[in-house]
Amino acid sequence: MKKILLLSDTHSHIDDTILKYVNQADEVWHAGDIGDLHVTDTIKKLKPLRCVYGNIDDAKARLEFPLHNRFMCENVSVWITHIGGYPGKYNPAIREEMALNPPKLFICGHSHILKVMFDKKNNLLHMNPGAAGKSGFHQMRTMLRFVIDDDKIKDLEIIEIGKK
């Protein structure tokens, strides 16, 4: 069983509230638009980190993190990318791979809109944690946390960090 903290779109911002939740997790997953690598360096000192780069991230971030991160957590196949789209409207760059080899859990960021939905066509759970940072049009800073237990994704919680 693993407790996961999922965040995205920090845009160089990290604070004590985010770190409080980092400390409660077994692993932290970041769905891109890190901004300054100080954010991921701080998280990595506390917990294992799985991360992808986003469209605002510089060459240093792109050297350290992939565009797509596919892995197994317990018995759940996971795919994290920054610009992924939504069920029925996936990014054209990933549509073919999604159809041929869908994960059980698909995670993206980019929109700054927290959304969790089930994709019936591909039989997967889609998550976007919204934005944990202060840059962008969103009003409420958000993250998600959940548990992966064998092949189950459960105990999903929305974390509202506060107004930006």
Side-chain angles (χ1 to χ4, degrees):
M1 184 176 86
K2 289 214 171 157
K3 292 183 247 175
I4 308 300
L5 177 67
L6 173 61
L7 68 160
S8 187
D9 296 276
T10 48
H11 291 263
S12 302
H13 179 80
I14 192 154
D15 59 30
D16 289 341
T17 305
I18 293 171
L19 293 175
K20 175 181 92 172
Y21 288 101
V22 167
N23 280 313
Q24 295 171 6
D26 295 322
E27 288 187 10
V28 178
W29 299 352
H30 194 303
D33 276 5
I34 303 156
D36 191 310
L37 288 181
H38 169 72
V39 171
T40 50
D41 290 344
T42 301
I43 293 169
K44 284 192 296 186
K45 287 177 185 168
L46 300 170
K47 297 292 173 164
L49 173 69
R50 297 181 188 263
C51 188
V52 295
Y53 70 80
N55 57 296
I56 67 130
D57 292 317
D58 64 12
K60 286 169 69 175
R62 292 167 191 240
L63 283 171
E64 185 167 347
F65 301 109
L67 175 61
H68 302 284
N69 195 346
R70 292 197 75 159
F71 57 92
M72 293 294 294
C73 180
E74 299 271 316
N75 285 310
V76 173
S77 59
V78 180
W79 181 355
I80 304 175
T81 194
H82 184 60
I83 303 175
Y86 294 99
K89 298 177 186 168
Y90 288 116
N91 182 328
I94 66 164
R95 275 188 205 142
E96 186 176 342
E97 178 69 17
M98 183 66 76
L100 294 172
N101 187 19
K104 184 166 183 170
L105 176 58
F106 181 72
I107 295 168
C108 64
H110 187 61
S111 70
H112 293 221
I113 300 168
L114 186 146
K115 192 178 281 196
V116 177
M117 57 196 301
F118 190 75
D119 177 345
K120 291 178 187 170
K121 180 180 176 191
N122 291 302
N123 193 34
L124 63 87
L125 185 61
H126 177 286
M127 290 185 186
N128 183 323
K134 294 186 172 185
S135 296
F137 68 89
H138 61 284
Q139 297 301 307
M140 181 62 67
R141 297 168 50 225
T142 58
M143 303 183 292
L144 293 171
R145 71 176 167 183
F146 53 94
V147 170
I148 295 184
D149 188 1
D150 190 35
D151 64 346
K152 294 178 181 49
I153 304 160
K154 61 185 193 178
D155 301 334
L156 176 65
E157 295 176 70
I158 294 170
I159 300 167
E160 290 187 339
I161 306 167
K163 300 257 184 207
K164 60 178 195 164

